[in-house]
């Protein structure tokens, strides 16, 4: 087992990892920027190291500072959380070259799944269904138009190095495609440092289904059911639930087996997520794999009773999975909403500030993952997520009622601070969502968001 783990992140996921370390009896080291000197993850960790000023590129994304902090603290492992350096194969290689275990998949696997062309080829070879599209980068607008002419409109242009819902744009006609192609390339270059894009058939009406997987270095792998992430805004997930109201047991088994097939074909090790689109005919299509813990992992934990972060740590330390597929028993229904410091009435603009009041719900079947307390500062430099509210109940109607009750208990105040709570209440009250028939176009079609 590791003697000490450095948590290379901030916010609620850093708190989550520190707590997992504490329960495993492993000392933890928090890193922090100047803006996070008094943050909750710093207070909870066994020790902390300052790694730079507020801008992420000079602190949480600055690899020399992070690795240096681990070496100074005597940490022999780094948990990257999600975001920041969590899917950077170069960072994982630097960790290894300094005798530090990166708690995540091997660098070559991260590189393979991070490049969408490589991932698509590997999944095709493994036998997973993919939407028709190009296997490699499209060289220019003319090639994009030729491909779209064969596929039929609408098509989606995606960054090969993209992730997290970024670097994606839809073209509904040839007149739109040239502009979409050029703007997506420019966005991909600015965000990912890689302008390559590919073209794929677009499903206007679909469900977003993701399968949580766990795999070890000994060839063992299990899946822990699905999460339905269809309520999205601009490809960013806002509400997640498990199980999906769209799957029956037969389809659940098929998509789970496909996820395991892809996981094993990659030689994956750790916690990961295989993401699929599900059409109205019950056909599912591989979309991408996320080689890290997901923001929405508590939804799965609530229905399966397995601590995914602890499993990440154990697998990274070389332990074989003590779970077999027959051991995975899913019970009840869980729903998660992301409470962000954003104003839904102003196009979800971030609303940084200092929290003068911060009270979140409790009671049976309620879990809150947060890094905030009264007096916490919400810096403008980072993601606006301030809490994840997760509920569990015996079935979906009861879980939705519990979430509605819990949202009504949230009290967050601060000069200029607004939250997404009213938005979530609107979604929870909408008859289409309550019926279980929400697709990825739910917000634009029903709430005009």
């Amino acid at each position: 087992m590791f003697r000490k783990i450095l948590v290379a992140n901030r916010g609620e996921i850093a708190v989550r990892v520190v707590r997992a370390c504490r329960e495993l009896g492993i000392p933890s080291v928090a890193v922090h920027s100047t803006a996070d000197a008094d943050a909750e993850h710093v207070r909870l960790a066994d020790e902390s190291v300052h790694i730079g000023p507020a801008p992420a590129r000079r602190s949480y994304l600055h690899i020399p500072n992070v690795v240096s902090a681990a070496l100074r603290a005597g940490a022999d492992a780094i948990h990257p959380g999600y975001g920041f350096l969590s899917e950077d194969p170069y960072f994982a290689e630097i960790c290894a070259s300094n005798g530090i275990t990166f708690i995540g998949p091997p660098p070559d696997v991260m590189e393979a799944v991070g490049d969408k062309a490589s991932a698509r080829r590997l999944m095709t070879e493994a036998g997973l269904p993919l939407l028709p599209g190009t296997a490699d980068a499209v060289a220019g607008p003319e090639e994009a138009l030729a491909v779209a002419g064969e596929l039929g409109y609408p098509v989606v242009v995606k960054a090969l190095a993209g992730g997290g819902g970024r670097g994606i744009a839809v073209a509904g006609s040839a007149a739109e495609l040239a502009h979409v192609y050029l703007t997506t390339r420019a966005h991909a270059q600015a965000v990912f440092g890689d302008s390559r894009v590919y073209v794929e058939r677009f499903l206007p009406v679909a469900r977003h289904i993701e399968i949580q997987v766990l795999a070890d270095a000994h060839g063992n792998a299990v899946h822990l059911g699905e999460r339905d992430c269809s309520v999205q805004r601009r490809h960013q997930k806002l509400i997640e639930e498990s199980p999906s109201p769209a799957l029956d047991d037969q389809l659940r088994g098929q998509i789970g087996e496909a996820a395991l097939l892809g996981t094993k074909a990659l030689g994956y090790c750790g916690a990961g997520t295989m993401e699929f689109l599900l059409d109205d005919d019950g056909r599912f299509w591989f979309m991408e794999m996320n080689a890290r813990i997901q923001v929405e992992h508590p939804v799965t934990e609530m229905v399966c009773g397995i601590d995914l972060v602890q499993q990440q740590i154990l697998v990274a330390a070389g332990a074989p999975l003590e779970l077999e597929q027959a051991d995975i028993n899913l019970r009840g229904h869980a729903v998660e909403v992301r409470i962000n410091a954003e104003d839904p009435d102003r196009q979800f603009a971030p609303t940084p500030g200092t929290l003068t009041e911060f009270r979140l719900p409790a009671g049976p079947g309620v879990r809150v993952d947060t890094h905030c307390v009264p007096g916490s500062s919400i810096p403008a430099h980072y993601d606006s997520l301030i809490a994840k509210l997760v509920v569990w109940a015996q079935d979906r109607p009861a879980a939705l009622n519990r979430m509605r009750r819990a949202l009504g208990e949230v009290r967050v105040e601060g000069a200029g601070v607004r939250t997404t709570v009213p938005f979530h209440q609107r979604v929870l009250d909408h008859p289409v969502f309550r019926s279980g028939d929400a697709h990825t176009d739910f917000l634009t079609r029903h709430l005009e968001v």
Side-chain angles (χ1 to χ4, degrees), residues 311-347:
Q311 289 294 322
Q312 278 188 296
I313 294 169
L314 294 171
V315 165
L321 280 176
E322 295 184 354
L323 300 166
E324 296 183 359
Q325 196 60 51
D327 300 323
I328 310 302
N329 296 308
L330 308 179
R331 58 181 290 269
H333 198 96
V335 183
E336 174 182 300
V337 302
R338 306 183 189 195
I339 300 178
N340 294 340
E342 297 174 350
D343 188 347
D345 294 329
R346 293 192 299 120
Q347 296 295 306

Side-chain angles (χ1 to χ4, degrees), residues 16 19-20 23-24 307-315:
R16 172 77 181 86
R19 286 173 170 158
E23 292 183 14
L24 290 172
D307 188 313
L308 292 172
V309 176
Q310 288 191 14
Q311 289 294 322
Q312 278 188 296
I313 294 169
L314 294 171
V315 165

Side-chain angles (χ1 to χ4, degrees), residues 216-274:
D216 63 22
H218 308 280
N220 305 306
V222 295
H223 73 82
L224 295 93
E226 81 280 2
R227 297 184 291 257
D228 192 315
C229 308
S230 299
V231 178
Q232 305 176 359
R233 176 180 178 270
R234 297 179 180 175
H235 310 292
Q236 297 290 319
K237 304 166 190 173
L238 297 172
I239 297 177
E240 299 93 5
E241 59 182 305
S242 181
S244 168
L247 301 188
D248 58 23
D249 289 341
Q250 181 179 0
L251 187 53
R252 179 170 293 112
Q254 291 172 352
I255 197 168
E257 285 301 313
L260 282 183
L261 195 65
T263 300
K264 292 178 178 179
L266 289 166
Y268 195 84
C269 182
T273 304
M274 299 286 285

